[in-house]
Amino acid sequence: MSNIQDVAKLSGVSVATVSRTLNNPEVVSEKTRKKVLKVVEEINYYPDSLAKNFRTRKTYMIVVLVPDIANPFFSRVIRGIQNTAHLNNYSILLGDTQSQISIEESYAKMVIAKQADGIIQLSAHFPLKDEMLKRYSHEKLPIVNICECLDGDIVPTIQLDNIGAAKTMTSHLIELGHKHIGVVTGPAKSPLTKDRLAGYRLALEEAGLSFDDNLIRTGDFSVKSGRDTADEFLGMSQVPTSVFCFNDEMAMGVCQRFKEAGISVPEYISVAGFDDINFASLHSPSLTTIRQPAEEIGKAAALQLYNILRGIPPSERHIVFPFDLITRDSTGPARKS
Amino acid sequence: MSNIQDVAKLSGVSVATVSRTLNNPEVVSEKTRKKVLKVVEEINYYPDSLAKNFRTRKTYMIVVLVPDIANPFFSRVIRGIQNTAHLNNYSILLGDTQSQISIEESYAKMVIAKQADGIIQLSAHFPLKDEMLKRYSHEKLPIVNICECLDGDIVPTIQLDNIGAAKTMTSHLIELGHKHIGVVTGPAKSPLTKDRLAGYRLALEEAGLSFDDNLIRTGDFSVKSGRDTADEFLGMSQVPTSVFCFNDEMAMGVCQRFKEAGISVPEYISVAGFDDINFASLHSPSLTTIRQPAEEIGKAAALQLYNILRGIPPSERHIVFPFDLITRDSTGPARKS
DNA sequence: CTGAAAGCGCTTACAG
DNA sequence: CTGAAAGCGCTTACAG
């Protein structure tokens, strides 16, 4: 369609002035501005972003790397990111990685190739680390790692107080009289697993209860892994009186299996989750869980990256968000026996 | 970092040859190719997409306009889109519109401004219609409308056989002896509501049952609207023996309210959903519903748009996908009375 | 098979 | 406040 030259010709000014009118109106005289804007309106001129981005070296795109977009917790985080990004004129480039490193890398390349300005990474990886560190200084590295975060100070992070949340949930169960609390963790190498397990141990210690390694089972955050570990708990000589799952999906899987086995939750065994996804409250029994401020985390991430991209180093490089313990029907007093 | 000139200098060829080596290797002699690729490797050269896209007038970005990314059905569709798009070197620009026209339009502008090549639209709108029609011919209009589709042939569409699906679900209930089947629709103006209602009526007609307008309640696809209509059904002089909800969330809302009112599903009243979201099978009772091939729909959409962008007009402009009736525990024989 | 050169549509010092 | 001009890093006819 029409370009900046057409607008210039039709309004009898130079392309420079058209450009200024559109990008720095205050620097142009009112008369000129009006003349130009009228023509822009008339011929329905839209500046060519391809040219503009090329010229300014910016894309106004942010890659969001998420292990699985169909995960309801992640999708809330993404909504938070996108709302805030959009307000600042940035768009979200969705990178559903299915946890595959090669896919993560192919998206990270987009930053190097200037198809995107930065990355918000929802898992504890740093794709193309060497390449990125070579190209950006510590301060300007356009990456924000959220939800499941790398240790150290290599990238800015934003996450829940996972230790505190797991400690609080465990204490909640202890207060209900539970002494044998099974756990279904995430993948062994996940920082989430490490932190939440640490919180669990802290609560036990505080209550003077001993830690039993046998009660700890490794899941992978899927419903199925919850189902599978449920069987393991039921097979124990001393079946735990409660199970703390490190996300809601696994808690639902555990509940489902218990239901099939004719075991009642929470009468015989309590089950707790983590995240407070939408369906946690619709579940039967409704799930006791930890609420994460998902949208706020997303919002904070977008803001953090936005600042980095504008050259403003974040005042806090590692933000920790508070949680809420949500008690519902899936946890109750420990059974006698 | 380094640009195509650096590569040219270091490998002793022209920039044109470097460009060809990277984009049309077969046209370059093997010797030259090797020389160039070696340098590319050595200095870790990544072509500048900003320049490349500007030059070629392509962005390899597709805007996906979705009313709500946190909706689990939509997120599966998006996953399908993104997987297929990624295979064809396209990336997804996520546009969570919250059903706001202004947000839809701001994303649609990205296509006009060449920040994206095309749009996949998950609701029955056509943002910036006049502007788009002015700029593109019927054949080349880079839009694919899926899931909830506009009537007519203005844009290519991909959707479920909604009429057939609703008819099948209704027939399923009729076979179970239900004669008073309540319905919770989507918004009145939604084509989904219209089509599914048509399917419902077809099934009634086929069974010789009369259509009762009073049994039709308007929802908005939210859990809450399900809850609200549940009360309306319970307040009727003749409470229906089953309720067919036009999505799973509303079915869950209906069930939740029934549960609170001490009414058992499916013994007193059957409840059916639509979509078969992940949690439908985890729900208590597990939901009878219609499975939509969400990822395939997304995949087909990505393919359709890909062809349009390559200048290949789709062989079918309006694709209809088959459904599956999934019978679970939330529907059963109609109660006597 | 390769190179010289034009040009994509903007923005931005620089000069006035 | 405005204009002439350079230039961003590529691709692509065109010529050889």
Side-chain angles (χ1 to χ4, degrees):
Chain A
M1 298 284 290
S2 45
N3 61 22
I4 199 170
Q5 299 243 38
D6 301 328
V7 179
K9 253 175 244 157
L10 287 168
S11 41
V13 299
S14 70
V15 295
T17 296
V18 175
S19 175
R20 289 190 198 103
T21 304
L22 265 16
N23 299 308
N24 280 319
E26 67 283 3
V27 90
V28 175
S29 79
E30 195 185 334
K31 197 169 143 226
T32 310
R33 205 191 314 149
K34 281 195 171 154
K35 207 163 52 181
V36 172
L37 290 178
K38 184 153 163 281
V39 172
V40 166
E41 177 86 359
E42 273 172 15
I43 68 171
N44 245 305
Y45 167 67
Y46 284 76
D48 184 316
S49 307
L50 246 21
K52 187 169 181 165
N53 294 346
F54 170 51
R55 214 15 258 260
T56 58
R57 310 300 304 152
K58 302 190 76 181
T59 65
Y60 292 96
M61 298 278 174
I62 295 172
V63 173
V64 175
L65 252 29
V66 53
D68 179 13
I69 181 150
N71 174 307
F73 170 69
F74 288 145
S75 52
R76 277 175 55 215
V77 175
I78 293 175
R79 192 161 60 186
I81 295 174
Q82 121 121 33
N83 287 160
T84 304
H86 196 243
L87 287 178
N88 293 318
N89 273 310
Y90 278 83
S91 297
I92 292 307
L93 236 149
L94 185 66
D96 187 329
T97 66
Q98 303 293 319
S99 299
Q100 285 177 246
I101 306 254
S102 62
I103 301 186
E104 285 188 356
E105 291 186 344
S106 73
Y107 281 101
K109 269 183 197 144
M110 299 183 80
V111 174
I112 295 177
K114 294 303 297 168
Q115 292 221 71
D117 296 339
I119 298 178
I120 294 178
Q121 164 77 271
L122 275 73
S123 58
H125 297 136
F126 189 165
L128 263 33
K129 181 173 170 181
D130 294 347
E131 211 36 54
M132 294 295 275
L133 292 178
K134 206 178 296 170
R135 285 161 199 264
Y136 296 95
S137 70
H138 181 69
E139 296 270 283
K140 294 198 170 158
L141 190 66
I143 300 180
V144 175
N145 183 198
I146 71 175
C147 296
E148 188 188 27
C149 300
L150 292 160
D151 288 331
D153 186 38
I154 193 153
V155 290
T157 63
I158 301 176
Q159 62 188 319
L160 195 77
D161 174 9
N162 283 296
I163 299 179
K167 177 167 180 258
T168 298
M169 179 60 86
T170 309
S171 297
H172 161 69
L173 293 169
I174 293 171
E175 278 164 31
L176 286 168
H178 296 274
K179 292 185 165 58
H180 295 89
I181 306 172
V183 172
V184 187
T185 72
K189 66 202 177 307
S190 163
L192 295 179
T193 295
K194 215 175 38 154
D195 287 351
R196 294 179 189 171
L197 222 34
Y200 168 79
R201 297 185 79 136
L202 278 177
L204 293 186
E205 275 169 34
E206 204 172 278
L209 294 172
S210 63
F211 175 82
D212 178 358
D213 204 48
N214 193 39
L215 286 170
I216 312 301
R217 301 286 150 162
T218 304
D220 63 5
F221 292 134
S222 71
V223 171
K224 183 172 181 310
S225 72
R227 283 184 58 91
D228 295 347
T229 53
D231 279 325
E232 298 178 23
F233 289 123
L234 293 181
M236 291 179 180
S237 55
Q238 178 161 35
V239 177
T241 63
S242 60
V243 178
F244 175 19
C245 303
F246 284 1
N247 80 352
D248 290 338
E249 280 89 339
M250 295 195 295
M252 291 182 189
V254 165
C255 284
Q256 194 185 42
R257 189 72 196 88
F258 283 170
K259 202 173 296 172
E260 288 169 11
I263 285 173
S264 58
V265 176
E267 289 76 12
Y268 185 79
I269 189 164
S270 288
V271 176
F274 205 109
D275 290 345
D276 194 26
I277 60 176
N278 284 161
F279 296 96
S281 64
L282 291 169
H283 192 259
S284 297
S286 58
L287 282 184
T288 291
T289 187
I290 296 288
R291 178 174 297 159
Q292 295 210 48
E295 302 207 25
E296 276 92 83
I297 291 176
K299 181 179 169 181
L303 246 27
Q304 195 79 320
L305 185 55
Y306 179 58
N307 282 331
I308 294 173
L309 293 177
R310 286 191 304 166
I312 304 174
S315 49
E316 292 178 85
R317 277 178 63 89
H318 303 284
I319 301 176
V320 173
F321 267 81
F323 56 88
D324 283 308
L325 171 66
I326 309 290
T327 55
R328 296 204 185 93
D329 300 339
S330 67
T331 53
R335 69 173 186 271
K336 318 275 160 50
S337 87
Chain B
M1 300 284 289
S2 45
N3 61 23
I4 198 169
Q5 300 241 38
D6 300 328
V7 180
K9 252 175 244 155
L10 287 169
S11 41
V13 299
S14 70
V15 295
T17 297
V18 175
S19 174
R20 287 188 199 105
T21 306
L22 264 17
N23 299 306
N24 279 318
E26 68 282 2
V27 90
V28 175
S29 80
E30 194 184 334
K31 197 167 144 227
T32 309
R33 204 190 315 148
K34 281 195 172 152
K35 208 164 49 182
V36 173
L37 291 177
K38 184 151 164 281
V39 173
V40 166
E41 178 86 358
E42 272 171 17
I43 68 172
N44 244 307
Y45 167 68
Y46 284 77
D48 184 315
S49 307
L50 246 23
K52 188 168 178 165
N53 294 346
F54 170 52
R55 214 15 260 259
T56 57
R57 310 300 303 152
K58 302 191 79 182
T59 64
Y60 292 96
M61 298 279 174
I62 295 171
V63 173
V64 175
L65 252 29
V66 53
D68 179 12
I69 180 149
N71 173 307
F73 171 68
F74 288 145
S75 52
R76 278 175 54 214
V77 175
I78 293 173
R79 190 159 62 185
I81 295 173
Q82 122 121 35
N83 287 160
T84 304
H86 196 244
L87 287 179
N88 294 317
N89 273 309
Y90 278 83
S91 298
I92 292 308
L93 237 149
L94 185 64
D96 187 326
T97 66
Q98 303 293 319
S99 300
Q100 285 177 247
I101 306 256
S102 63
I103 302 186
E104 285 188 355
E105 289 185 345
S106 73
Y107 281 101
K109 269 184 196 141
M110 300 184 79
V111 173
I112 294 177
K114 294 303 300 168
Q115 293 221 70
D117 296 339
I119 298 178
I120 294 177
Q121 163 77 271
L122 276 73
S123 57
H125 297 135
F126 188 163
L128 263 31
K129 181 172 169 180
D130 294 346
E131 211 37 55
M132 295 295 274
L133 291 179
K134 206 180 296 170
R135 284 161 199 266
Y136 297 95
S137 70
H138 181 69
E139 296 270 283
K140 293 198 171 158
L141 189 68
I143 299 179
V144 176
N145 182 198
I146 71 175
C147 295
E148 188 188 28
C149 300
L150 292 159
D151 289 331
D153 187 36
I154 194 154
V155 290
T157 62
I158 302 176
Q159 61 188 319
L160 195 77
D161 174 9
N162 282 295
I163 300 179
K167 176 166 182 259
T168 298
M169 179 60 86
T170 308
S171 297
H172 161 70
L173 293 170
I174 292 172
E175 277 164 31
L176 287 168
H178 296 275
K179 291 185 167 55
H180 296 89
I181 305 173
V183 173
V184 186
T185 72
K189 64 198 177 313
S190 163
L192 295 178
T193 294
K194 216 176 35 147
D195 285 352
R196 293 178 190 172
L197 222 34
Y200 169 79
R201 295 185 81 135
L202 278 177
L204 291 187
E205 274 169 35
E206 204 173 279
L209 294 173
S210 62
F211 175 81
D212 178 358
D213 204 47
N214 193 41
L215 286 170
I216 312 302
R217 302 286 150 161
T218 304
D220 63 6
F221 292 135
S222 72
V223 172
K224 183 170 181 312
S225 72
R227 284 184 57 90
D228 295 346
T229 53
D231 278 326
E232 299 177 22
F233 288 124
L234 293 180
M236 292 180 179
S237 57
Q238 176 159 38
V239 176
T241 62
S242 60
V243 178
F244 174 19
C245 302
F246 284 2
N247 81 350
D248 291 338
E249 282 89 337
M250 296 195 295
M252 291 180 188
V254 164
C255 285
Q256 194 185 41
R257 189 71 197 89
F258 284 169
K259 202 173 294 171
E260 287 168 13
I263 285 174
S264 59
V265 176
E267 289 75 13
Y268 185 79
I269 190 165
S270 287
V271 176
F274 205 108
D275 289 346
D276 194 28
I277 62 176
N278 284 161
F279 296 95
S281 65
L282 291 169
H283 191 260
S284 297
S286 58
L287 282 186
T288 291
T289 187
I290 296 289
R291 178 174 296 158
Q292 294 210 47
E295 303 208 26
E296 275 93 82
I297 291 175
K299 180 178 169 183
L303 247 26
Q304 195 81 318
L305 185 56
Y306 179 59
N307 281 331
I308 294 172
L309 294 176
R310 286 191 303 166
I312 304 174
S315 49
E316 291 179 84
R317 277 179 64 88
H318 303 284
I319 302 176
V320 173
F321 267 81
F323 57 88
D324 283 308
L325 170 68
I326 309 290
T327 54
R328 295 204 185 94
D329 300 339
S330 67
T331 53
R335 69 174 184 273
K336 317 278 161 52
S337 86

